[in-house]
Amino acid sequence: LFRVYRDSCGMHISHGILFYYDGPLRGEDFVTRKITRAVAAIETGEQEVLRLGNLDSVRDWGHARDYVAGMWMMLQQERADDYVLATGQAHSVREFTERAFAHIGLEIEWQGEGVEEQGIDALSGRTLVSVDRAFFRPKDVNYLLGDATKARGALGWSPKIGFDELVADMVNADRKVFDEGEAPWQRAG
């Protein structure tokens, strides 16, 4: 539809396919926020275990700030076009989880397989992550990786915020929620 309006009506409509942009404002029903919120809650003692589905699901996660910059760059072009914004780096749910716990000083060791797998705190032996069949998605695509070659060349766009910084930003935002009792985006004024 956007191509029809762009080509037939001469409208400046750029189309972006944005691979898994994330950040502290991501909804808690997304796995990344579920992880970072649980890590913060476990750190404060308000939660015991993080329950996840497929730990080996792989995504191309980037920071929302980079993607907003890319969208702005698309709209600055003289000619509208279609672009993919992606980091070109693949990370698993398992890796996201490990990095989130590492940010609060906990190392995860994995034991077991499949739905019996658990993430154990390497120092205390305490179970911090469990796999729950209820969180598996039957039609999930296990590996999604984007190619932003065109956006890099045409727009000069590339992500500035790395994976570790993304995870740290999200964990820190959720830690702040538990420290202050409300999310920064919920405050009035």
Side-chain angles (χ1 to χ4, degrees), residues 6 10 21 26 31 34 40 54 58 60 76 149 152 173 182 188:
R6 181 171 64 207
Y21 52 92
R26 172 63 85 186
V31 70
K34 178 179 180 178
N54 184 1
V58 173
D60 183 331
Q76 305 314 303
T149 301
R152 289 182 205 288
E182 65 180 12

Side-chain angles (χ1 to χ4, degrees), residues 72-84:
W72 182 86
M73 294 169 100
M74 286 179 209
L75 296 175
Q76 305 314 303
Q77 302 306 301
E78 193 166 314
R79 184 178 149 280
D81 206 344
D82 307 328
Y83 301 96
V84 172

Side-chain angles (χ1 to χ4, degrees), residues 5-17:
Y5 281 96
R6 181 171 64 207
D7 297 341
S8 299
C9 302
M11 297 176 78
H12 191 286
I13 301 173
S14 285
H15 173 244
I17 298 172

Side-chain angles (χ1 to χ4, degrees), residues 28-81:
E28 291 179 18
D29 52 336
F30 288 85
V31 70
T32 49
R33 267 304 300 294
K34 178 179 180 178
I35 293 167
T36 61
R37 187 182 188 298
V39 165
I42 289 169
E43 182 181 41
T44 63
E46 293 191 36
Q47 184 172 331
E48 292 292 319
V49 176
L50 166 60
R51 294 177 26 225
L52 294 170
N54 184 1
L55 296 170
D56 297 316
S57 185
V58 173
R59 297 292 182 261
D60 183 331
W61 281 300
H63 202 293
R65 288 193 306 252
D66 284 331
Y67 289 77
V68 169
M71 289 184 275
W72 182 86
M73 294 169 100
M74 286 179 209
L75 296 175
Q76 305 314 303
Q77 302 306 301
E78 193 166 314
R79 184 178 149 280
D81 206 344

Side-chain angles (χ1 to χ4, degrees), residues 17 19-20 58-61 67 84-91 141-148 152:
I17 298 172
F19 271 74
Y20 294 90
V58 173
R59 297 292 182 261
D60 183 331
W61 281 300
Y67 289 77
V84 172
L85 300 183
T87 68
Q89 298 178 4
H91 300 279
V141 177
N142 285 333
Y143 189 92
L144 291 172
L145 181 66
D147 180 359
R152 289 182 205 288

